[in-house]
Amino acid sequence: DLVDLWCTINEPVVVLVSGFINAAGVGGNFPPGIFNFASVVQAIPQLVTAHARGYDALHATDAIDANGDGVAVAAGVVHNMAAFAPTSATNPLDVVGAQHADYLFNRVFPIAITTGNFDANLDGDVTDPGEVRPDLAGRSDFLGLNYYLRARATGLGVTVTPLVPLFDFLPTLAYQTVENPGGSPCPTECTDFGWEIYPQGLRESLTFAGTLGVPVYITENGLADAADTRRGKYLYDHLTVAQQAITDGVVDLRGYFQWSLTDNFEWASGYYPRFGLYSYDPVTGKRRLRAGAKVYKTIARKNGIPQSLIKRFGP
């Protein structure tokens, strides 16, 4: 009776990549921490179906309109997207590899739960038996979109495994950091977490999300920046992109959630990456508002990008 907006699964494709494709530079050694493409092909239908049946259960069970807007349930999935680019824009293999990476990582799951067209064997089409699934169609009242980074794809020209025909590339998702001294140098500007900052990629993600026919929430967006020297500009740039996407009508964007209110225990990296609008000391429990957070406060209160910030951060 207190909740109308429901998310069934957080970042299902990240679950697959980090748990089942633990190759160099790809997976995150999360449970089950294996390298097994057969497991990926087995697991993705389970995640897609689990979301759809969760969606059905929520609509069957929650009949109470908690906030009085006439809608008792809005259920969706929170889906992480990366802006894939070719490692070399002049290399045809890299270009194709980036297209395939975008399709596999960003598109397969949300297309399945909105249209019912589920590319279960990850070959780029839905012509195989059982890939048109009415039980998946329309199982998304909104899409939660997490966006953080630009990734690069180096094309191989041949598939890594026949079990995933479009996996014909090597992705680079993060670059050299204190935690990852052996990583490749950042090609432009990266966060403390080694993620390449690319605000225009949010526009690319929102443009695709806008084709799905459902409202969108940016459910996560932010950066690890312990020194707090880039947070204000990052927020300004990404929220400017979001505002322009609304103005241009490319997406029905309903909201934006900053990651995160405070520094948090970030999975295997612990308290190293500082994502918070507030710093957090895990020993004393004290929180302190970061200067970069004031940019977010200003935009939130104005419900838009004010001239004062355009003069400060704009071109």
Side-chain angles (χ1 to χ4, degrees):
D1 63 340
L2 299 178
V3 179
D4 288 344
L5 188 67
W6 297 89
C7 300
T8 57
I9 305 173
N10 183 61
E11 299 186 342
V13 177
V14 174
V15 171
L16 290 171
V17 173
S18 294
F20 296 97
I21 313 179
N22 281 280
V26 183
N29 293 299
F30 285 20
I34 60 176
F35 181 73
N36 190 308
F37 290 112
S39 295
V40 172
V41 176
Q42 182 180 5
I44 189 170
Q46 306 299 334
L47 286 166
V48 171
T49 303
H51 161 75
R53 298 294 75 79
Y55 176 96
D56 292 340
L58 286 164
H59 277 273
T61 303
D62 183 358
I64 300 175
D65 179 7
N67 63 3
D69 68 349
V71 178
V73 174
V77 73
V78 171
H79 178 54
N80 185 63
M81 294 179 66
F84 279 95
T87 301
S88 170
T90 60
N91 185 330
L93 294 181
D94 292 358
V95 172
V96 172
Q99 293 169 351
H100 289 169
D102 173 64
Y103 175 77
L104 292 172
F105 192 81
N106 295 332
R107 299 180 181 242
V108 169
F109 201 102
I111 288 172
I113 63 174
T114 51
T115 69
N117 295 328
F118 173 42
D119 185 8
N121 61 2
L122 306 175
D123 66 352
D125 62 49
V126 288
T127 58
D128 295 294
E131 290 192 328
V132 177
R133 298 260 311 261
D135 68 306
L136 301 180
R139 263 59 176 198
S140 187
D141 299 320
F142 67 89
L143 178 70
L145 168 60
N146 292 356
Y147 175 80
Y148 288 102
L149 58 93
R150 173 161 60 181
R152 309 277 181 156
T154 300
L156 301 175
V158 293
T159 185
V160 173
T161 169
L163 296 175
V164 185
L166 295 186
F167 190 8
D168 57 359
F169 57 89
L170 294 178
T172 301
L173 299 169
Y175 295 91
Q176 189 177 70
T177 66
V178 173
E179 274 203 324
N180 179 28
S184 301
C186 178
T188 55
E189 183 181 14
C190 290
T191 71
D192 295 351
F193 220 18
W195 291 347
E196 187 180 4
I197 298 172
Y198 183 58
Q200 185 57 31
L202 178 59
R203 172 66 179 236
E204 297 168 11
S205 299
L206 288 171
T207 300
F208 163 65
T211 67
L212 298 172
V214 297
V216 175
Y217 293 89
I218 299 172
T219 36
E220 289 184 30
N221 174 245
L223 81 166
D225 178 21
D228 195 38
T229 57
R230 292 171 291 183
R231 185 166 280 105
K233 181 71 161 58
Y234 182 99
L235 286 162
Y236 168 83
D237 286 342
H238 286 79
L239 284 165
T240 297
V241 167
Q243 180 171 276
Q244 191 61 49
I246 295 170
T247 300
D248 294 344
V250 301
V251 64
D252 180 6
L253 182 59
R254 300 288 180 89
Y256 174 94
F257 297 84
Q258 165 67 196
W259 188 265
S260 175
L261 175 64
T262 67
D263 293 335
N264 62 296
F265 190 85
E266 186 65 34
W267 300 99
S269 296
Y271 287 107
Y272 164 72
R274 302 291 183 164
F275 280 97
L277 297 174
Y278 282 80
S279 66
Y280 169 72
D281 187 329
V283 176
T284 66
K286 290 182 178 180
R287 298 187 300 179
R288 180 181 58 82
L289 182 68
R290 289 192 165 106
K294 296 176 182 178
V295 173
Y296 188 52
K297 177 181 179 180
T298 299
I299 294 172
R301 285 191 168 180
K302 298 289 186 180
N303 195 28
I305 312 295
Q307 281 297 319
S308 60
L309 292 182
I310 294 174
K311 290 180 180 178
R312 179 179 171 188
F313 293 116

